[in-house]
Amino acid sequence: MIIQLLQNAEQVDLAGAELIKSTVRFKPNAVLGLATGGTPVGIYKHLVQDAKQGLIHFKQVTTFNLDEYVGLPSDHPESYRAYMEKHLFAHVDIPAEQVNIPDGMATDLQAECDRYNRLLAQVGQIDLQILGLGHNGHIGFNEPASSLTSETHIVELKEETRQANARFFASIDEVPTHALTMGVGSILKAKTILLVVKGADKADIVHRALTGPITTDCPASLLQLHPHVIVLLDAAAGRKFA
Ligand code: F6R
């Protein structure tokens, strides 16, 4: 595991965008695993700027998003589909059919998970999986539990996750209670994992995840088992590593 302690969030965004750019330069048909939430917004902003200058092309790239809320239509501004359109896809040359996001409006959610797992199996391996970190140690929406699920599944969001994400909604009541998420097994299959963590409020959990016991109580601790993880921390999140 490579842990890079950077000065500030801007440095983290630049470094994250650089890693994605070099992945796609070396392998134009790379498969990228994408996260949403507050953390990667700055990385996507840099990618969009670079794409506009012709420094990165997504024509042959395939993407798989980690997760999607259940019950939010794709045009709901807080659906992860809408987030990805807003922050990345609408501004780069990726063909729509190469974008994969679980459909949280599917009438048969289990069938939708099975479909997503089949698509993941078809590509074989994600080249670079981008992850943020939940305050409770979740990755994707794999919440702390006594056991974890390997493949894409339906998950009930923990109250703390709904609270954390309420900042994007008018009120907590509007935050969906369930989501579809790639499983920890699917995440760990990626060739390289980029974990991005910012802010003082994540200093304890990122330290625990990367240096504490490997336990399903902290799903991100399983990243310790992966042979190729790059972690980007700003100074506030990395306080305990300094
Ligand atoms: C988002 C995702 C989540 C977030 C995590 C951190 O697709 O899978 O695991 O990465 O909840 O969220 P932010 O970045 O908003 O702090």
Side-chain angles (χ1 to χ4, degrees):
M1 181 175 296
I2 298 169
I3 300 180
Q4 279 208 338
L5 247 185
L6 295 159
Q7 269 171 3
N8 51 42
E10 175 60 17
Q11 296 295 319
V12 168
D13 294 342
L14 275 170
E18 275 311 316
L19 183 61
I20 296 168
K21 267 194 296 178
S22 58
T23 301
V24 173
R25 270 201 208 115
F26 280 109
K27 189 175 177 192
N29 63 345
V31 180
L32 300 178
L34 300 178
T36 58
T39 307
V41 169
I43 292 179
Y44 297 146
K45 195 183 87 192
H46 285 295
L47 291 181
V48 168
Q49 281 167 3
D50 291 340
K52 285 193 171 145
Q53 292 176 43
L55 299 173
I56 181 171
H57 297 282
F58 287 82
K59 272 202 175 69
Q60 300 178 57
V61 168
T62 298
T63 62
F64 281 87
N65 265 79
L66 280 166
D67 39 24
E68 177 60 284
Y69 289 119
V70 168
L72 291 192
S74 55
D75 61 353
H76 187 291
E78 295 312 328
S79 75
Y80 287 166
R81 165 74 68 174
Y83 169 108
M84 289 309 304
E85 285 299 324
K86 175 176 167 193
H87 292 292
L88 188 66
F89 298 147
H91 315 287
V92 300
D93 56 351
I94 189 162
E97 60 276 16
Q98 284 156 222
V99 165
N100 299 285
I101 303 180
D103 179 3
M105 290 296 284
T107 41
D108 184 341
L109 292 171
Q110 187 51 52
E112 174 58 9
C113 293
D114 297 343
R115 182 191 73 87
Y116 211 66
N117 288 327
R118 276 195 305 275
L119 288 173
L120 282 163
Q122 269 166 29
V123 299
Q125 193 176 34
I126 286 175
D127 291 292
L128 179 64
Q129 174 66 59
I130 297 144
L131 295 178
L133 177 65
H135 292 98
N136 61 5
H138 74 215
I139 47 176
F141 274 138
N142 294 280
E143 301 279 38
S146 54
S147 68
L148 296 173
T149 306
S150 178
E151 294 197 310
T152 311
H153 59 285
I154 308 155
V155 66
E156 180 171 5
L157 298 175
K158 294 258 185 200
E159 200 45 34
E160 65 255 26
T161 297
R162 295 184 65 241
Q163 293 278 2
N165 289 1
R167 69 193 197 279
F168 299 117
F169 292 81
S171 80
I172 177 105
D173 301 332
E174 289 184 20
V175 184
T177 55
H178 291 75
L180 303 183
T181 183
M182 268 167 61
V184 173
S186 309
I187 292 171
L188 291 177
K189 262 192 214 150
K191 202 178 286 174
T192 302
I193 294 178
L194 170 64
L195 175 69
V196 185
V197 190
K198 299 175 191 172
D201 52 327
K202 301 232 179 116
D204 286 337
I205 189 64
V206 72
H207 191 259
R208 184 179 144 214
L210 303 185
T211 66
I214 297 171
T215 161
T216 58
D217 276 343
C218 179
S221 68
L222 274 86
L223 296 174
Q224 293 181 44
L225 298 169
H226 192 279
H228 200 194
V229 178
I230 299 168
V231 185
L232 299 178
L233 303 174
D234 68 3
R239 176 172 48 86
K240 291 193 149 185
F241 291 90

